[in-house]
Amino acid sequence: MSIGIKFVTMIALMGTLSVQAKTFVNCSEASPASFNPQVVTDAPSYNASAITLYSKLLRFELGTTKMIPGLAESYTISKDEKVYTFTLRKGVKFHTTSYFTPTRDFNAEDVVFSINRQRVKDHPFHGVSGGIYTQYENNIKDNIKDVVALDPYKVQITLNEVQAPFLAYMAGNYMSILSAEYGDKLAKENRKQDMDQFPIGTGPFAFVSYVKDGLIRYVAHPQYWDAKSYKGKKENKIDKLIFAITPDQTVRYQKLKAKECQFVTLPSIVDLDDMRANKEVLVMSQEGLNVGYLAMNVTKKPFDNVLVRQAVNHALNRKLYIDAIYHGTGVVASNPVPPALWSYDKNLKDYDYSIEKAKALLKKAGYENGFETEMITLPVTRPYNPDGKKMGELMQADLAKVGIKVKLVTFDWPTFLKTSRSGTQQMIQFGWTGNNDPDTFLNDLLSCASVESGNNTARWCDKDFNDLVVQARRVTNQKIRADLYKKAQRIFKEQAPWVTIAHAKVFRVMDKKVKNFKIDPFGYDYFDQVELE
């Protein structure tokens, strides 16, 4: 079936579009790596899937870090803090599309299916899309003892040991709920791969079609379970949603001015003054829970030598990058945890910019004449790094001053993500946006488990650091956890698997006719509440 036929069929099936249908176009920055949020970790993929198509048991109140109910109306925790029982919302409808018509509402079977796909290796869908569930493996792997449907609207999850950030994990995008009924249909038809290419969820929009590197089309879900909370309305304020994939940030803004889109993800920092002066454009910003960094692969020579890694930290003029690339919208990062997050160690001693110290460390490490290496630069705009190419050129020039000759390479976004997890990289620019728990930075990116799952781009596994991070997950007292995380941060800084570059503000730009958009501290874009004037 062609994309055009699917689109027309979809409109007929949904029966919600009128001649005056409201279409909202988002000029997004990159193609999604998948439409299944279980198998990705990047914001473009999450925006195109978890945020738009799916729902989770728990979620964060839009615009805040406060956790609120989602598909689970409530939950209870056992006295030993190992058993979580979730009471599910009734009457939640899955999407009806040209390729699937559900015969039942969301229930406990879907929760068990969605979690077990990630945790049970002989699950019929575990191996689909490569069988790599990075976030699940980082966070809950080996700790979920059992997932049981007590009745159609009650699910019990039993842990092997106490895990303080467990509820935050349940609000993670990788915990989006898939349709078990759709899975059964695809398995019978030997089309399991369609689960991740033609998605079915319970979210505010339903999938219509995707042209790679071009357009993603969605239609409003007329029976979206949370629509009633929006000023009493029973339907979305937008009838059709389009992601116009536009990697160049300047072109995104030009499209906005030409009325080709109403919204721009990650605008060019250089254009902000012009945007603010434009009476037809609204600029929004918020401090982001993010960190941008340069990872050095400690399994590759010479980065297996801590002295070399410390030398690279001294060699990079990060203050210059903040001025030249972030234009004052970021701050130099001394820490893998953003300043707004509890457990941030404000007393952590940072590396100063010093060519002399860098050369001395290289000499001590046996690299007095420097060495040759390769750096992979970010190919798309991210809040933690607005311009990977330019930053790479500045880093290349800085490292040349201490004798390190750097070859810059890059890839398209899906290939970049795949390469970052492969372990073949030498140095790579990257970054992260976590949630309201430090574990989503220190464990997700730097633990030994995250080496195996692929999120640890430095491939750094330090026993002392890892023991502290694991211990911090097993206690619920926040002060004790914060002390453990601060000790872990000091080990990280001394061992220097990264150069921490910046913590940056999150920016969104839109047509002034867009109403009721709220900027998200986690860096995602929610359009279900948006209205067009």
Side-chain angles (χ1 to χ4, degrees), residues 386-430:
D387 192 335
K389 181 177 183 293
K390 183 175 180 180
M391 183 180 287
E393 291 167 352
L394 294 174
M395 289 178 166
Q396 183 184 50
D398 281 343
L399 291 171
K401 295 173 186 175
V402 297
I404 301 175
K405 297 179 182 179
V406 178
K407 177 184 177 183
L408 301 178
V409 296
T410 195
F411 308 97
D412 63 79
W413 183 237
T415 306
F416 173 91
L417 293 173
K418 183 178 180 181
T419 304
S420 74
R421 300 186 184 105
S422 68
T424 59
Q425 69 275 14
Q426 295 176 338
M427 292 195 292
I428 185 169
Q429 296 173 357
F430 222 124

Side-chain angles (χ1 to χ4, degrees), residues 71 73 88-94 104-108 152-153 202 221-228:
L71 292 178
E73 289 185 320
L88 306 181
R89 198 177 297 274
K90 295 180 180 178
V92 175
K93 308 294 183 184
F94 279 100
R104 64 164 177 81
D105 291 350
F106 154 80
N107 64 28
Y153 293 97
T202 62
H221 180 23
Q223 297 174 301
Y224 177 45
W225 62 271
D226 199 33
K228 61 182 179 296

Side-chain angles (χ1 to χ4, degrees), residues 13-85:
L13 282 170
M14 298 303 290
T16 62
L17 302 184
S18 67
V19 175
Q20 299 299 321
K22 289 186 177 179
T23 300
F24 185 89
V25 182
N26 165 33
C27 280
S28 60
E29 76 275 33
S31 298
S34 172
F35 285 100
N36 180 0
Q38 297 176 330
V39 299
V40 296
T41 61
D42 62 296
S45 297
Y46 282 151
N47 273 335
S49 60
I51 307 305
T52 307
L53 296 165
Y54 292 100
S55 309
K56 300 157 288 192
L57 295 183
L58 301 175
R59 54 186 172 152
F60 294 100
E61 185 177 60
L62 186 55
T64 77
T65 59
K66 177 185 176 183
M67 203 177 311
I68 60 174
L71 292 178
E73 289 185 320
S74 62
Y75 60 86
T76 60
I77 308 173
S78 63
K79 288 184 178 180
D80 66 359
E81 299 181 297
K82 293 182 181 180
V83 181
Y84 292 75
T85 303

Side-chain angles (χ1 to χ4, degrees), residues 133-141 163 169 432 439 443-445 447 449-456 473:
Y133 304 91
T134 301
Q135 286 296 89
Y136 177 85
E137 291 169 5
N138 281 347
N139 296 329
I140 316 180
K141 183 184 179 184
Q163 198 165 35
Y169 297 155
W432 190 251
D439 188 83
N443 177 66
D444 279 12
L445 303 177
S447 67
S450 64
V451 175
E452 182 181 349
S453 67
N455 259 16
N456 190 332
R473 302 172 105 190

Side-chain angles (χ1 to χ4, degrees), residues 311-329:
V312 172
N313 269 268
H314 280 299
L316 297 182
N317 187 353
R318 293 172 294 159
K319 178 63 170 63
L320 172 65
Y321 310 159
I322 297 298
D323 294 338
I325 297 174
Y326 297 83
H327 296 275
T329 65

Side-chain angles (χ1 to χ4, degrees), residues 109-130:
E109 182 184 350
D110 303 303
V111 178
V112 175
F113 174 88
S114 300
I115 296 176
N116 281 349
R117 171 176 172 171
Q118 300 178 80
R119 67 182 286 264
V120 179
K121 289 189 175 180
D122 61 358
H123 187 280
F125 281 82
H126 182 81
V128 174
S129 297

Side-chain angles (χ1 to χ4, degrees), residues 323-350:
D323 294 338
I325 297 174
Y326 297 83
H327 296 275
T329 65
V331 296
V332 172
S334 62
N335 202 308
V337 175
L341 201 56
W342 62 271
S343 85
Y344 177 81
D345 189 352
K346 63 182 180 181
N347 297 316
L348 195 66
K349 182 175 173 50
D350 200 4

Side-chain angles (χ1 to χ4, degrees), residues 210-231:
Y210 171 47
V211 177
K212 189 176 187 304
D213 300 328
L215 294 176
I216 312 172
R217 295 183 182 272
Y218 307 89
V219 66
H221 180 23
Q223 297 174 301
Y224 177 45
W225 62 271
D226 199 33
K228 61 182 179 296
S229 69
Y230 302 151
K231 300 180 182 178

